[in-house]
């Protein structure tokens, strides 16, 4: 990265992160260790650690990502809900990014069967705040995952990092609605780079 003074993480900082994770009620998943998704190990940019809160056994299930626009139409949200419900009944865990719009609709629909929320910040930092209750329910009934240390406020650069985990975790990525240049289309491109399937819901003929 061009840094001339790179140093390993200080022991005190690592211990503070571990303590913060325990206080949040999260557990640490390490590559090759119990619970860490084996699918991620094939990629050079696999997360070196994952904080998990909820039902880690969902990571043993086949997984499909549902992603899309934050400012989704009501039709798009209904479509995401229906697809997530049906995929859940078919045995898939539904993966998404806990954003408003399509993500939230998919998570809510898949709560009874199993949903995984990959977070852009720390495991204990809910963004957007309007999804606080949904995040609480996912921790109780599904699974929340985060790569960054507890307490980390999500910034713009963190969302592509989050999206690569969504793409790599999932056998396929389904785009319901997405604007040109959006994070949802970035996730789809990452999924293709990882050799995963990419699917899309047909839109109206004049939709960009």
């Amino acid at each position: 990265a061009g840094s001339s003074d790179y140093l390993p993480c200080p022991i005190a900082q690592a211990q503070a992160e571990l303590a913060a994770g325990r206080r949040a009620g999260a557990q640490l998943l390490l590559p090759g260790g119990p619970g860490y998704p084996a699918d991620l190990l094939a990629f050079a940019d696999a997360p070196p650690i994952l904080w998990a809160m909820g039902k880690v056994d969902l990571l043993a299930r086949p997984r499909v990502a549902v992603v899309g626009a934050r400012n989704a139409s009501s039709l798009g949200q209904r479509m995401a809900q229906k697809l997530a419900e049906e995929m859940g009944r078919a045995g898939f865990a539904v993966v998404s990014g806990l954003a408003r719009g399509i993500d939230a609709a998919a998570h809510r629909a898949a709560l009874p069967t199993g949903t995984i929320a990959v977070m852009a910040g720390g495991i204990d930092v809910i963004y957007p705040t309007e999804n606080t209750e949904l995040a609480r329910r996912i921790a109780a009934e599904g699974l929340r995952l985060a790569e960054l240390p507890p307490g980390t406020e999500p910034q713009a650069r963190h969302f592509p990092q989050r999206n690569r985990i969504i793409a790599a975790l999932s056998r396929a990525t389904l785009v319901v609605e997405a604007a040109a240049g959006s994070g949802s289309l970035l996730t789809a491109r990452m999924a293709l780079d990882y050799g995963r399937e990419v699917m899309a819901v047909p839109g109206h003929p004049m939709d960009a």
Side-chain angles (χ1 to χ4, degrees), residues 86-103:
E86 293 186 359
M87 287 190 293
R89 286 198 295 267
F92 290 91
V94 174
V95 182
S96 200
L98 198 59
R100 62 173 61 95
I102 296 299
D103 290 22

Side-chain angles (χ1 to χ4, degrees), residues 64 66 77-95 102-115 174 176:
V64 174
V66 177
Q77 293 186 59
R78 291 199 305 272
M79 180 61 71
Q81 178 180 340
K82 181 173 176 58
L83 289 167
E85 286 175 348
E86 293 186 359
M87 287 190 293
R89 286 198 295 267
F92 290 91
V94 174
V95 182
I102 296 299
D103 290 22
H107 283 310
R108 288 191 183 97
L111 269 171
T113 53
T115 189
L174 171 61
V176 179

Side-chain angles (χ1 to χ4, degrees), residues 136-200:
R136 185 198 66 76
R137 291 189 62 195
I138 293 173
E141 304 171 45
L143 178 65
R144 289 184 0 217
L145 293 176
E147 177 181 20
L148 295 176
T152 303
E153 294 287 341
Q155 300 179 31
R157 69 177 184 275
H158 296 149
F159 289 91
Q161 287 182 252
R162 185 270 315 267
N163 293 346
R164 90 186 194 287
I165 299 174
I166 293 173
L169 269 180
S170 307
R171 291 186 180 183
T173 292
L174 171 61
V175 182
V176 179
E177 283 182 344
S182 65
S184 301
L185 294 186
L186 174 63
T187 305
R189 285 194 292 272
M190 290 174 168
L192 287 173
D193 289 343
Y194 289 145
R196 306 297 202 225
E197 297 290 336
V198 174
M199 300 174 286

